[in-house]
């Protein structure tokens, strides 16, 4: 597979799914050994407690010692329990808001300029309109906080197989919410996180999504479909998709958010020449 069309992009490796066979604090060094200089994370501390300063410092040290920049971070979430964000969940209102300065502080200390805000699953017994209003309110708070450090807030569509209760299953729905947040905040720093794998699961026309919404992209993530493994293991044409991103003017990062087919992360990067792994 020739990915030379992506030579103008910076790749970032998601260390919540890649090198997950290692303890969290060892993953930045493993990413560096594989040639990467940028990485991203889902919220790494669980949702049950606010991380102590010592935990935050240990994570900072792991990244700085490895020479790897944390380029993306999720706001409060606990994906291990099937949660898909907390912003629209009334019971999580205060917990999310208490997390904002923690996430922003960690991001600022590591030069992270993108924070992903998953809106949360539908809650039985709570009106969708009530949840949507809370999500918008919280997204505006998140956008303001991110703006204070020169960062963007990302809004993502997830796939309806793994996240059937998540309200954003299409690029159109996510981009509509991006526009609503920007209108409400007046800041313009809400962007679409275009995860090509999730959209492929949902049967979206990926070239059409790129053509129609590229100007709203704040980040792109990739995994092959089906399987969610590395590019070249299934049916997506990444030579074409990466070329289309370049042609559409997208100059942001490409996040590797896939499961290694072999189960060994270090063996899953042959498709990406080493010279393209380091951020420019």
């Amino acid at each position: 597979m020739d990915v030379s069309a992506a030579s103008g992009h910076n790749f970032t490796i998601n260390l919540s799914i890649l090198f997950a066979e290692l303890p969290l604090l060892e993953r930045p060094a493993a990413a560096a050994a594989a040639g990467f200089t940028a990485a991203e994370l889902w919220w790494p501390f669980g949702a049950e407690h606010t991380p102590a300063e010592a935990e935050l410092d240990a994570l900072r040290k792991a990244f700085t010692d490895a020479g790897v920049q944390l380029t993306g971070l999720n706001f409060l979430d606990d994906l291990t329990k099937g949660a898909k964000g907390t912003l629209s969940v009334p019971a999580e209102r205060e917990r999310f808001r208490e997390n904002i300065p923690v996430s922003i502080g960690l991001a600022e200390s590591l030069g992270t300029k993108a924070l992903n805000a998953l809106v949360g699953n539908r809650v039985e017994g709570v009106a969708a309109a009530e949840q949507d209003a809370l999500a918008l309110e919280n997204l505006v708070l998140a956008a303001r906080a991110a703006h204070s450090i020169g960062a963007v807030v990302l809004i993502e569509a997830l796939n309806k197989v793994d996240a059937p209760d998540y309200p954003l299953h299409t690029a159109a729905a996510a981009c509509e919410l991006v526009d609503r947040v920007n209108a409400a905040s007046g800041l313009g720093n809400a962007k679409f996180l275009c995860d090509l794998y999730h959209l492929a699961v949902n049967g979206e026309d990926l070239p059409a999504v790129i053509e129609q919404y590229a100007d709203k992209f704040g980040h792109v993530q990739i995994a092959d479909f089906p399987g969610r493994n590395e590019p070249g293991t299934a049916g997506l044409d990444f030579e074409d998709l990466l070329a289309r991103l370049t042609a559409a003017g997208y100059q942001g990062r490409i996040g590797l958010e896939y499961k290694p087919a072999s189960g060994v992360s270090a063996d899953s990067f042959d498709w990406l020449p080493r010279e393209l792994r380091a951020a420019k």
Side-chain angles (χ1 to χ4, degrees):
M1 178 171 55
D2 180 7
V3 294
S4 59
S7 61
H9 295 291
N10 288 329
F11 288 85
T12 185
I13 179 174
N14 191 300
L15 292 180
S16 294
I17 189 169
L18 281 159
F19 291 112
E21 61 268 32
L22 299 174
L24 175 63
L25 297 183
E26 295 179 17
R27 297 177 201 172
F36 294 95
T37 58
E40 58 191 24
L41 285 173
W42 302 333
W43 181 245
F45 300 108
E48 300 304 318
H49 74 292
T50 299
E53 197 60 34
E55 292 178 271
L56 295 167
D57 284 343
L59 186 63
R60 291 185 185 104
K61 187 175 188 299
F63 275 91
T64 55
D65 285 356
V68 174
Q69 183 187 3
L70 182 66
T71 54
L73 177 68
N74 281 26
F75 282 106
L76 182 69
D77 202 358
D78 190 353
L79 299 181
T80 63
K81 296 185 176 181
K84 302 297 180 184
T86 55
L87 284 84
S88 70
V89 181
E92 298 287 357
R93 176 188 176 112
E94 295 310 315
R95 197 197 303 261
F96 172 75
R97 294 183 180 187
E98 290 169 0
N99 168 265
I100 291 177
V102 180
S103 296
I104 293 294
L106 179 59
E108 183 177 27
S109 68
L110 289 171
T112 307
K113 297 300 183 182
L115 291 105
N116 188 18
L118 295 173
V119 300
N121 292 330
R122 291 300 190 205
V123 178
E124 187 175 355
V126 181
E130 178 184 343
Q131 285 197 256
D132 292 345
L134 179 58
L136 180 60
E137 189 177 318
N138 281 332
L139 280 164
V140 170
L141 292 175
R144 289 174 180 160
H147 180 73
S148 73
I149 64 167
V152 300
V153 168
L154 300 172
I155 296 172
E156 183 176 9
L158 301 182
N159 78 75
K160 56 192 174 185
V161 175
D162 298 325
D165 298 322
Y166 191 78
L168 305 176
H169 286 147
T170 65
C175 288
E176 180 183 1
L177 183 53
V178 165
D179 289 343
R180 290 176 61 206
V181 174
N182 286 332
S185 72
L187 297 173
N189 69 329
K191 301 288 185 179
F192 176 39
L193 195 171
C194 178
D195 186 310
L196 295 175
Y197 168 78
H198 286 305
L199 299 181
V201 174
N202 292 337
E204 292 223 42
D205 182 334
L206 300 185
V209 167
I210 293 170
E211 181 178 357
Q212 184 170 358
Y213 297 112
D215 63 328
K216 298 182 188 296
F217 289 4
H219 187 40
V220 172
Q221 291 175 331
I222 61 173
D224 215 337
F225 170 75
R228 202 177 186 177
N229 302 129
E230 60 265 30
T233 56
L236 294 186
D237 185 348
F238 283 99
E239 289 184 32
D240 178 68
L241 292 170
L242 293 171
R244 287 176 183 273
L245 285 166
T246 301
Y250 177 70
Q251 297 179 336
R253 300 184 185 278
I254 306 289
L256 309 186
E257 196 182 65
Y258 60 75
K259 299 178 292 184
S262 70
V264 179
S265 296
D267 295 339
S268 72
F269 306 121
D270 288 348
W271 64 277
L272 184 63
R274 195 176 182 92
E275 62 269 19
L276 296 184
R277 300 176 196 177
K280 301 175 181 63

